[in-house]
């Protein structure tokens, strides 16, 4: 069964992405908070920029850094800090790599063994969202399909 990823602009500055995943919220949350799992699904394979390193201190005030690229010389990073951490239902973090970056909130709602994931991003301006939206329409569905594949293997081994 294929779960559809929906991406909606809720306002000039807000983007909401939703998807239902096959697996309990606890396991979906772990895939978002354990570096060894995040590395297996976060970077869309079609981008050609694998996730080289993933550092995550998942606690309020803790920081994260995700570095992408073919090698250290050509890499680029996303980084920020966690504002809220409520296992296994909610994460909020900053994206500090740019002054135009969003604050991201992800909620995990369990529904009969599945998890409704809602990712909400609030950008500082309409222009910042316009720029971020360009690659997101293709990238997010691919990322989430990769997460589906990982969750299937985690469920089998659980």
């Amino acid at each position: 069964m294929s779960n559809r990823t929906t991406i909606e602009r809720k306002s000039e500055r807000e983007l909401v992405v939703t998807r239902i995943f096959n697996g309990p919220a606890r396991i979906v949350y772990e895939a978002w908070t354990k570096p060894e799992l995040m590395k297996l699904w976060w970077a869309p394979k079609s981008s050609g920029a694998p996730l080289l390193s993933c550092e995550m201190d998942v606690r309020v005030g803790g920081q994260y850094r995700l570095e992408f690229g073919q090698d250290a010389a050509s890499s680029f990073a996303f980084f920020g800090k966690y504002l809220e951490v409520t296992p296994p239902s909610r994460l909020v973090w900053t994206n500090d790599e740019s002054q135009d970056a969003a604050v991201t909130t992800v909620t995990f709602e369990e529904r009969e063994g599945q998890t409704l994931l809602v990712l909400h991003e609030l950008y500082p301006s309409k222009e910042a969202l316009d720029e971020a939206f360009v690659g997101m329409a293709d990238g997010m569905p691919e990322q989430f399909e990769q997460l589906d594949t990982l969750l299937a293997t985690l469920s089998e081994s659980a």
Side-chain angles (χ1 to χ4, degrees), residues 67-80:
E67 196 164 341
F68 300 86
Q70 293 299 323
D71 54 48
S74 66
S75 69
F76 57 97
F78 293 99
F79 54 91

Side-chain angles (χ1 to χ4, degrees), residues 51-126:
L51 187 53
L52 295 174
S53 69
C54 179
E55 300 166 18
M56 302 169 77
D57 180 8
V58 185
R59 61 182 174 85
V60 173
Q63 298 187 5
Y64 73 91
R65 181 178 178 86
L66 308 174
E67 196 164 341
F68 300 86
Q70 293 299 323
D71 54 48
S74 66
S75 69
F76 57 97
F78 293 99
F79 54 91
K81 68 179 178 289
Y82 293 97
L83 302 176
E84 291 181 47
V85 176
T86 309
S89 60
R90 183 177 169 92
L91 291 169
V92 180
W93 65 83
T94 64
N95 296 276
D96 295 337
E97 61 277 355
S98 148
Q99 66 184 23
D100 289 332
V103 171
T104 303
T105 301
V106 181
T107 58
F108 309 82
E109 182 185 328
E110 192 159 331
R111 294 180 173 180
E112 299 176 9
Q114 293 185 314
T115 300
L116 170 64
L117 182 136
V118 178
L119 181 143
H120 177 269
E121 291 195 320
L122 179 61
Y123 288 84
S125 67
K126 176 188 181 305

Side-chain angles (χ1 to χ4, degrees), residues 14-45:
E14 292 176 280
L15 181 75
V16 175
V17 181
T18 58
R19 183 164 177 133
I20 293 177
F21 289 97
N22 295 320
R26 175 185 57 80
I27 293 176
V28 179
Y29 180 88
E30 285 178 3
W32 283 76
T33 57
K34 290 188 172 182
E36 66 274 17
L37 297 178
M38 189 81 143
K39 285 175 89 168
L40 298 174
W41 71 271
W42 186 256
K45 287 182 174 58

